[in-house]
Amino acid sequence: WIEKIRDVFLDNGAPDRSQAIESLAKLGYTIADGEEELFERTAQLGNGPMTARARWVLAHSHSENAETQLAELLKSDEVEARDGAAHALRHLPIISSASRETLFAAVNRESAGTSARVFLLSAAAVHAEGERLAASKAELLEYAASTNQAERFEVCEALAEVGTNDDLSLLIRLLSDADLDVRLAASYAILRVGRRVPREIALLDWTVVGLYF
C-alpha cells in the first residue's frame, strides 16, 4: 500500500497528490533512490501545504537541512504554511534545538484566534520541557472546548504524546464529542497515556472507554 500511495504522489497529474504526500509523511516514508529530486522540487514550491509535507518527508529521510527548512515555514506570512509546518513538526519525534527555538518564537508571535495557533501550541507542547511545556499545554487544553472540530482533534493528538493521568477526565469527556474523529483521537490518547502510566489509570477509566466503542 505504501508503494501505491507513493505512486500517486509521483504522478504529477494525480488529483490526490497532496493527500498522498501527507500519508507518506505520517507513515514515516523514507525516500528511495531516484525519488529525491521530485520531493526536493515539491519542497521549494512556495508556502502551500505540499511544501511543508515534502519537507516533512525529507526530514524523515534525513535529507540535509530539511528540518531547518521546515521550521523556516513557521516564519511565513501565510497562515496555511505555518499550520502545515507546525503540524509536521509535532509529528517528528525529535527536532534540533534550533528548530525548537524557532517553534517557540513562532508561538510567541502568533496571534490568538488564528488557525495556526492551536497547531503551534500542540507542537510546542510535544517538544518543550519544564515551564514551556506547562505553559504550552495549559493554553492548548483551552481548545478542548472549541467549536472547531480540528482544534479539539489537535488537543487529543497532542495529549496522545504528552498527556498524563491528570488529563484523563478531559479525554473521557471528549469520548462524547459529536465528531467521530475527535472521539477516536480521544480514545487513542487515553490508550497512549495508559501505556506511559499504566498503574495510574483506574479500571473505571478503561471501562468508560470500552462503553464508547
Side-chain angles (χ1 to χ4, degrees):
W1 281 105
I2 292 178
E3 287 76 13
K4 291 182 179 180
I5 296 170
R6 178 206 57 199
D7 290 345
V8 171
F9 168 69
L10 295 177
D11 180 358
N12 285 320
D16 299 327
R17 289 187 74 226
S18 183
Q19 291 86 347
I21 194 171
E22 181 177 19
S23 296
L24 291 174
K26 288 181 176 178
L27 290 167
Y29 180 73
T30 300
I31 297 170
D33 292 342
E35 298 174 355
E36 189 164 349
E37 182 180 354
L38 179 56
F39 280 93
E40 288 181 344
R41 285 205 310 269
T42 305
Q44 303 303 324
L45 284 178
N47 290 324
M50 288 276 285
T51 301
R53 292 165 187 170
R55 294 181 187 185
W56 181 1
V57 175
L58 286 163
H60 268 308
S61 303
H62 307 292
S63 179
E64 187 176 3
N65 298 322
E67 182 198 300
T68 300
Q69 291 178 356
L70 177 59
E72 284 296 308
L73 289 175
L74 298 174
K75 302 175 183 178
S76 172
D77 292 334
E78 301 293 329
V79 67
E80 190 175 43
R82 302 195 302 276
D83 281 356
H87 181 69
L89 287 169
R90 195 255 295 161
H91 278 84
L92 293 179
I94 300 173
I95 61 176
S96 68
S97 58
S99 293
R100 285 199 302 272
E101 291 306 316
T102 301
L103 173 59
F104 300 149
V107 172
N108 291 337
R109 286 193 307 270
E110 194 71 27
S111 300
T114 68
S115 63
R117 187 156 185 83
V118 67
F119 296 104
L120 288 164
L121 289 167
S122 176
V126 167
H127 292 295
E129 297 177 347
E131 292 182 359
R132 273 180 167 163
L133 168 58
S136 299
K137 186 178 172 184
E139 184 178 348
L140 177 67
L141 293 180
E142 295 176 9
Y143 286 88
S146 171
T147 58
N148 185 311
Q149 174 270 348
E151 293 178 343
R152 301 193 306 277
F153 180 84
E154 188 65 20
V155 171
C156 295
E157 290 280 280
L159 290 179
E161 301 299 326
V162 298
T164 68
N165 196 47
D166 293 338
D167 302 308
L168 286 174
S169 59
L170 181 150
L171 289 167
I172 289 172
R173 288 200 302 273
L174 288 172
L175 292 175
S176 300
D177 196 272
D179 184 84
L180 175 59
D181 286 341
V182 173
R183 298 198 301 273
L184 290 171
S187 66
Y188 176 68
I190 291 170
L191 294 174
R192 287 292 303 275
V193 171
R195 289 179 181 177
R196 288 194 293 274
V197 286
R199 295 178 183 275
E200 297 183 24
I201 298 184
L203 176 61
L204 177 60
D205 294 328
W206 291 113
T207 302
V208 169
V209 174
L211 289 173
Y212 281 90
F213 293 94

